Amino acid sequence: MRASSFPRIDRAPRLALGNMSTPFQLLERVSERYGHGARIWVKRDDMTGSVVTGNKVRKLEYIVAHAKAQGCDTLITCGAVQSNHCRATAIVGAQLGMKVHLILRGDPEAPLEGNYLLDTLAGANVSIYTAEEYQQTLPDLMRQWDEHYASEGHKCWQIPTGGSDDIGVWGYVNACEELALDFERARITAHTPIVCASGSGGTQAGLALGAALVDLPATIYGVAVCDDAAYFDEKVKADVDAWIKRYAGDSFHPVLPTRTIDRYIGPGYGKAQPEVLNLIREIASLEGLFLDPVYTGKAFFGMVTELANSGFGKPRDVVFIHTGGIFGLLAQCDELIM
Ligand SMILES: *Cc1c(COP(=O)(O)O)cnc(C)c1O
């Protein structure tokens, strides 16, 4: 980061939890088939770890550092029963000797597989609520569990859905500093679309803010996997505004180079359209790269469809942020059997 141009930003404390910097790789066969003249690169954030894999660990490095600095010994967070974020939090908690409680949304009889299996193996306490109860009472549930642990003498830190908040934003600001070096090594200098999946918006927010801070020649395209573009535009702005307030002071007004695309949600969150499932199979056999049906498959499908329709103009390079999700893929075996 150009500290000189932003002298008032204090870096937040960070725990080293993931394997960064992650590799930046050219997908030769995918570029040939889907690039329409562009080279398609992938930032391998699916390689941040073997079990704490994916984008959430980048956010947790800052969130958990903050929680520990506040003297917290317990993490409470929430998400879908196959949440990658909850799994990452459960495992990070085990690695650091912290208690973890997960408030999960789903069928109380959900099969113990994928991320949910790892949550329980990592020793997290889990309570599952139906979608209805979860949606109506989540803030109360978070508070109730917080009070429960407090009454046992613990101090809790509550992490919001997906770790998307002002502290978590740092994770992808930091990733942009890596990308600046990746661009330099790959000699990418022209304006470049960077594509990521957006579920709770924190990755898009961090990338957008980071791109502005390091002057990356890029536009960040968040491909929505659940809510619409208006929701994500608002959420990205809210997370960045909260970050500015906490770390940079109110006089800092970056222009965020980002847009949300909401044409690839398909049947809904966690449910992939057949074209996405086909693409997952194809990319796996073409490059040995595994996308997932909840996030990265939809975002990758969005990227190649936009490239085919010149939705990004005629870029020389396109970068895909592979945000992980392998265990979510393994929880959808039935859908992937041909
Ligand atoms: C959570 C998640 C995303 C979305 O990131 P947000 O910061 O929540 O928008 C994308 N891909 C994977 C695999 C994820 O687990």
Side-chain angles (χ1 to χ4, degrees):
M1 188 175 311
R2 297 190 183 158
S4 56
S5 29
F6 302 101
R8 295 175 50 212
I9 296 172
D10 295 324
R11 271 181 181 277
R14 174 184 182 185
L15 286 169
L17 301 173
N19 299 316
M20 275 78 96
S21 303
T22 55
F24 184 76
Q25 298 168 343
L26 177 63
L27 298 176
E28 284 181 20
R29 288 169 296 283
V30 165
S31 300
E32 220 164 89
R33 192 169 299 182
Y34 292 107
H36 295 269
R39 295 185 297 183
I40 300 177
W41 301 80
V42 61
K43 177 72 172 163
R44 295 293 305 271
D45 280 6
D46 57 324
M47 292 173 68
T48 47
S50 61
V51 283
V52 193
T53 155
N55 58 344
K56 301 311 181 313
V57 63
R58 287 196 185 266
K59 307 179 192 184
L60 289 172
E61 287 196 331
Y62 292 94
I63 294 171
V64 180
H66 183 86
K68 283 180 79 77
Q70 307 296 307
C72 296
D73 62 358
T74 302
L75 303 170
I76 301 180
T77 195
C78 57
V81 74
Q82 282 299 333
S83 162
N84 294 308
H85 161 69
C86 288
R87 178 256 310 152
T89 306
I91 298 170
V92 162
Q95 288 174 345
L96 298 175
M98 299 176 84
K99 238 182 213 317
V100 174
H101 191 102
L102 304 177
I103 295 170
L104 299 181
R105 181 187 77 232
D107 180 355
E109 305 294 315
L112 201 55
E113 62 185 10
N115 286 307
Y116 181 30
L117 172 64
L118 297 180
D119 296 342
T120 59
L121 289 176
N125 294 324
V126 171
S127 41
I128 302 195
Y129 302 89
T130 62
E132 197 180 10
E133 192 177 3
Y134 182 97
Q135 266 141 29
Q136 286 169 5
T137 63
L138 181 60
D140 290 335
L141 292 171
M142 294 283 274
R143 187 174 38 75
Q144 279 164 22
W145 282 111
D146 193 315
E147 285 167 4
H148 167 83
Y149 288 101
S151 76
E152 293 182 341
H154 296 287
K155 189 169 177 196
C156 298
W157 184 261
Q158 296 183 21
I159 307 175
T161 309
S164 290
D165 64 10
D166 46 349
I167 305 170
V169 161
W170 273 110
Y172 274 85
V173 167
N174 182 248
C176 275
E177 294 176 272
E178 290 179 25
L179 283 165
L181 284 174
D182 295 333
F183 273 34
E184 208 174 293
R185 289 195 194 106
R187 299 206 169 80
I188 298 174
T189 49
H191 201 84
T192 298
I194 297 180
V195 179
C196 70
S198 281
S200 60
T203 301
Q204 187 182 344
L207 285 170
L209 177 62
L213 289 172
V214 303
D215 266 339
L216 205 63
T219 298
I220 313 303
Y221 290 91
V223 179
V225 302
C226 41
D227 300 279
D228 64 11
Y231 171 84
F232 282 108
D233 292 347
E234 191 62 34
K235 176 72 170 112
V236 164
K237 190 176 175 313
D239 284 357
V240 172
D241 283 349
W243 182 95
I244 289 170
K245 209 168 164 159
R246 191 190 278 260
Y247 300 105
D250 289 335
S251 59
F252 177 54
H253 300 290
V255 177
L256 298 179
T258 186
R259 286 176 52 193
T260 307
I261 304 176
D262 61 4
R263 290 188 285 279
Y264 304 101
I265 298 168
Y269 176 76
K271 300 185 193 99
Q273 45 278 58
E275 303 93 305
V276 168
L277 296 173
N278 286 336
L279 190 65
I280 290 172
R281 293 187 191 98
E282 197 186 343
I283 302 303
S285 62
L286 206 56
E287 300 271 4
L289 187 77
F290 288 83
L291 305 170
D292 77 291
V294 185
Y295 296 100
T296 54
K298 287 181 184 179
F300 206 93
F301 177 63
M303 177 180 71
V304 298
T305 308
E306 294 295 320
L307 277 168
N309 300 334
S310 304
F312 302 134
K314 283 272 167 223
R316 190 170 115 80
D317 297 284
V318 178
V319 175
F320 183 76
I321 309 291
H322 193 324
T323 42
I326 184 78
F327 303 116
L329 172 71
L330 298 180
Q332 292 205 16
C333 299
D334 294 348
E335 290 78 355
L336 283 153
I337 293 167
M338 294 198 250

